[in-house]
């Protein structure tokens, strides 16, 4: 109310504020009790909620009845765009999804992986001219550690191996670009242990940086061990450690 008059809200609580989930729990406590009363399996975090039923028909019926409960009894608005009836493997919840099958496992969906890649691409653009070791330590590793710690409960680990390979290729591309001249590239490949004939052919091949970053000469010259020495976080190793702990 403003000056004793009811006015339309223009702003809500700041995103990320601890007040937001607290208010969600207060407002949606009645929803939790209603779902428990009906005997539904459900999971809610703040205002994000998944309800699990046995069939699509049941899902459509529950979506309709719960929407009415929320809007008519709790006087809250349900987002039609974000709400749907679908298989758990086709939906995401807090960044996670599930595999298909009788014994579903937690997995990281493509959307979550793509968001990380976009973040990393931005970092790589900002760190083009920097020392690779310092870039890994100061910029890249903090992002990777935070991300894999969040997704440490994932039971399907192939995504981590794919991400490790993609990140190392991006780093090889940065290195190739930093060397600029073919003579410098030849020198660096020789220094990394490639035979003189192969180093020369690779350095003067005329191909682009992305092609070279995935080619065998860069992979053989700068393997995983090289980046381990630089301190690069290995997502697969980190995931395995989190699973053991």
């Amino acid at each position: 109310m403003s000056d004793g008059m009811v006015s339309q809200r223009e702003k809500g609580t700041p995103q990320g504020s601890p007040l937001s989930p607290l208010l969600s729990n207060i407002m949606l406590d009645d929803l939790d009790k209603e779902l428990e009363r009906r005997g539904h399996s459900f999971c809610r975090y703040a205002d994000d909620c998944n309800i699990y039923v046995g069939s699509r028909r049941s899902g459509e019926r529950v979506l309709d009845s719960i929407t009415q409960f929320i809007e008519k009894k709790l006087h809250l608005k349900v987002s039609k765009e974000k709400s749907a009836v679908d298989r758990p493997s086709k939906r995401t919840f807090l960044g996670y999804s599930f595999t298909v099958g009788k014994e579903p496992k937690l997995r990281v969906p493509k959307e979550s992986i793509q968001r990380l890649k976009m973040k990393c691409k931005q970092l790589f653009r900002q760190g083009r001219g920097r020392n690779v070791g310092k870039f890994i330590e100061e910029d890249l590793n903090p992002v990777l550690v935070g991300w894999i710690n969040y997704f440490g409960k994932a039971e399907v680990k192939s995504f981590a191996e794919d991400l490790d390979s993609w990140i190392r290729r991006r780093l090889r591309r940065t290195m190739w670009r930093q060397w600029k001249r073919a003579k410098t590239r030849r020198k660096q490949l020789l220094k990394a242990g490639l035979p003189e004939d192969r180093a020369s052919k690779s350095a003067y091949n005329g191909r682009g940086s992305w092609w070279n970053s995935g080619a065998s000469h860069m992979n053989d010259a700068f393997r995983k061990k090289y980046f381990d020495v630089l301190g690069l976080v290995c997502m697969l190793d980190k995931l395995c450690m989190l699973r053991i702990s």
Side-chain angles (χ1 to χ4, degrees), residues 180-203:
K180 295 182 180 179
R181 297 181 180 179
K183 185 183 294 186
T184 307
R185 290 166 179 167
R186 177 180 177 276
K187 179 181 178 181
Q188 292 294 336
L189 291 173
L190 285 171
K191 187 178 177 181
L194 288 190
E196 186 173 348
D197 181 59
R198 189 182 180 192
S200 298
K201 287 182 178 179
S202 300

Side-chain angles (χ1 to χ4, degrees), residues 46-59:
D47 63 343
D48 196 357
C49 184
N50 277 10
I51 305 170
Y52 303 101
V53 294
S55 67
R56 173 170 287 276
R57 181 177 294 180
S58 297

Side-chain angles (χ1 to χ4, degrees), residues 15-16 21 48 56 76 81 91 109 114 130 157-158 168 172 181 194 201 206 220 232 239:
Q15 189 169 4
D48 196 357
R56 173 170 287 276
L76 300 171
E81 295 78 20
R91 303 293 292 174
Q114 191 60 33
R130 296 189 58 195
K157 59 184 182 180
S158 57
R168 288 195 293 267
R172 293 188 190 102
R181 297 181 180 179
L194 288 190
K201 287 182 178 179
D220 290 343
L232 177 65
L239 181 63

